[in-house]
Amino acid sequence: MKKFLVFTILLLSNSTVSWACGYSPFGEDIRFCLYHPSYFNYSQFQSFDYNANLWSYNYSPDTEYESNVTDWYNYTHKKVAIESINEFLNNLKFTDINKDSSNEFIQYLYKIRDVSAIQYLTIAKKCEDLNNRVFEDPWERKDGTINRSSEKIVAELQEMLLKEKNPEFKRKYAFQFIRIAYYAGNLNLVKSYFDNYFDNYFDNSNKDYLYYWSLYFYCFTDPVDKELKIAENFSNSKEKAYATYYYFHDEFDFNKAFAKAKTDTEKAQVYAYISVQKIDKNLEYLKEIYNYKSNYDLLDFLLLREINKLEDWIYTPYYTNYLPSTEFSNYWDRDDKVTTETLRLRSENDRLYAKEVLDFVETVNLAKVKNKALWLSAKIQLQFMTKDYDNCFSSITVFENQFKNEKVSEEVAKIKALCLTARQENGKAVILPEIEATIFKYQDDNRFIFALGRELEFRGNLVDGIALISFLEIRGRRQYYYEFGGVDNSVEWCGNRIKDSGNLPYFYTYFDYLDFVYSAKDLQTVVNQISNSSKSPFYETIYGSLVRDKDNLIDLLGTKYLRENNLNASSKTFKLLNDDYWSGFYNGWERGSYDDYYAFYKNPFYSFKYTNEFIDHKDKF
């Protein structure tokens, strides 16, 4: 076969791509997820989305504008483009504050002669530079001492704070002073200014972003109620949530915090804080949070996170035969006890936990939760996970009637297609006409298409299942592998949960999968189906890769019959291929689909690179 010829050529003549032969995916490359956090607006907690890289917290900046940008946008009565405000606050310096500024925000303040705002922004920018110099001390003194050149700025800030009459600007100045005091290592000043300008000024009804930004620094002063302040700040500050968890979670004492909690909100916040990085089962904490504060965005987020855990625990082994992504085990280092059967059993055991979560979700009063669409869509996910297909389909109907315009409707449509496929009888499963439009609409969701293909395969429809898996390769992933020395990591799967995969442990092309897993008889059904010309436009598209590779598959089929010692069937199969196929692919110099990775520049019996021709070309080899 040509695949083995090219493999030998690659091994002998081009070592630069030989690394690909040892590649085995792990972590996020194999994690199965259909219920994406992006369907919901939890940017505040996106650092805590469930993922395989849990030790690194997966922090990425929020794409929305920060609270102070929005605050100034409202201050200008939305007469200035928010992009200009964001540009000034995050990119410009205090030297850019002048009447000739090109920034629209600064132009506006000068136009209306807002002296107070201009004065504050000037000193704030100076403080910003000061904080950076203290934090990034080139002499690495690490004592945080404000040097003499900075004392003038600090004195100016203190003077402006005392003179300011506007309470809003007064608190802005106070925050700047708290931040400077923190970076200077003066925690006593942090505590004093927080007590005077924030803690005694706010109640639970009017705490704003400046309060929580200041509270973050206050938590470093070890106040008596530190644990409660940490949990409160994490829950309420989108800009400081990640830092609040990062710096305080190791020392956070749940029992101490819960003992100090007096209100239901405080108790819910304590439970939420210890839940956001919990990588094992968290159902009992979800129940506690619901009992204390049902209308809580962190409760909704944590339910979403629990579904993502279950997807990894159930779908990753079930569809790809890999261990769940957070275990960081691949084929090469997993022990002999991790077999197809143990993985399947593990997946089924985790479906039992999914049933426990489903039972809880079904007891929840949707009128009390904050995001009803999330809870109902979560119920749909859990019903599919537990193979409760009939009730899943009924829940989907209810969702479609109530939440047509929700972004998560995309996911519900995919689960509907999977549910309709999975509830078919074994041996009679097909691609139903009612899901064809869904397949086309979400064809770029590789895991969804792959899951559909596997559901069909598991129910005895190998041909349509392989067609969908090959559909993922419509742009020629196999060609990409050989021509560019890389792999398309969209979907990989390990071995098979039905049959043995021989000595190839993992797959990222359907062709290798058919080669190493299935018999000649199985492959014959695939080849016969490709030859069936009475297909609809939908099937012509889905079968596009198989039709393109028909000759290769016939070649593989003949080879499989040869391996099974069925010489008559092998000879008959090989005769289906014309001479052009044999001459085009079974040589080391005639250019075909593998192009530059052929061994020879030209026919080695006649032509030599950098050498004048001296032999007449008479025979074709």
Side-chain angles (χ1 to χ4, degrees), residues 38-56:
S38 59
Y39 290 130
F40 305 96
N41 185 25
Y42 294 115
S43 57
Q44 176 177 344
F45 308 115
Q46 66 179 358
S47 306
F48 305 95
D49 290 341
Y50 179 79
N51 66 90
N53 305 316
L54 291 171
W55 70 87
S56 64

Side-chain angles (χ1 to χ4, degrees), residues 384 389-390 393 413-425 427-440 448 452-453 455-456 459 461 464-465 468 535-536 538-539 542-543:
F384 178 70
Y389 300 129
D390 290 338
F393 190 74
K414 296 171 190 175
I415 294 296
K416 183 177 182 179
L418 286 165
C419 181
L420 289 170
T421 302
R423 72 174 185 173
Q424 295 181 80
E425 184 180 345
K428 297 182 179 180
V430 296
I431 300 177
L432 297 170
E434 51 263 48
I435 73 169
E436 292 181 3
T438 304
I439 292 174
F440 275 155
F448 163 60
L452 271 178
E455 292 289 355
L456 288 164
R459 281 154 187 77
N461 188 345
D464 284 344
L468 283 172
K535 288 294 180 181
S536 67
F538 169 79
Y539 273 88
I542 296 301
Y543 275 74

Side-chain angles (χ1 to χ4, degrees), residues 195-214:
D195 289 340
N196 290 332
Y197 292 97
F198 290 96
D199 204 27
N200 297 328
Y201 178 81
F202 289 91
D203 56 35
N204 289 329
S205 64
N206 64 353
K207 293 177 180 178
D208 63 358
Y209 77 96
L210 274 178
Y211 173 87
Y212 291 113
W213 286 14
S214 301

Side-chain angles (χ1 to χ4, degrees), residues 94-95 119-134 146-162 173-174 176-181 184 193:
F94 77 90
T95 52
Q119 287 180 335
Y120 168 75
L121 290 172
T122 301
I123 192 66
K125 281 295 181 181
K126 289 180 180 179
C127 291
E128 186 178 280
D129 289 342
L130 172 59
N131 291 331
N132 289 337
R133 287 202 302 273
V134 171
I146 297 178
N147 56 40
R148 289 179 179 271
S149 63
S150 304
E151 291 178 355
K152 181 179 179 181
I153 299 176
V154 175
E156 183 181 354
L157 175 63
Q158 193 167 25
E159 180 184 356
M160 298 296 292
L161 172 62
L162 295 175
Y173 283 118
Q176 294 294 341
F177 205 97
I178 287 172
R179 186 166 61 170
I180 282 184
Y193 273 75

Side-chain angles (χ1 to χ4, degrees), residues 456-512:
L456 288 164
E457 180 193 358
F458 296 160
R459 281 154 187 77
N461 188 345
L462 171 65
V463 183
D464 284 344
I466 286 295
L468 283 172
I469 293 174
S470 72
F471 183 54
L472 299 176
E473 303 170 36
I474 201 68
R475 299 177 66 182
R477 284 163 53 188
R478 194 150 50 89
Q479 182 177 352
Y480 176 89
Y481 170 74
Y482 285 112
E483 290 190 359
F484 301 103
V487 292
D488 181 345
N489 294 330
S490 56
V491 179
E492 297 87 4
W493 65 107
C494 182
N496 191 354
R497 64 181 294 271
I498 297 177
K499 299 181 180 182
D500 180 53
S501 61
N503 61 355
L504 188 62
Y506 58 87
F507 302 94
Y508 44 87
T509 69
Y510 84 91
F511 192 92
D512 287 341

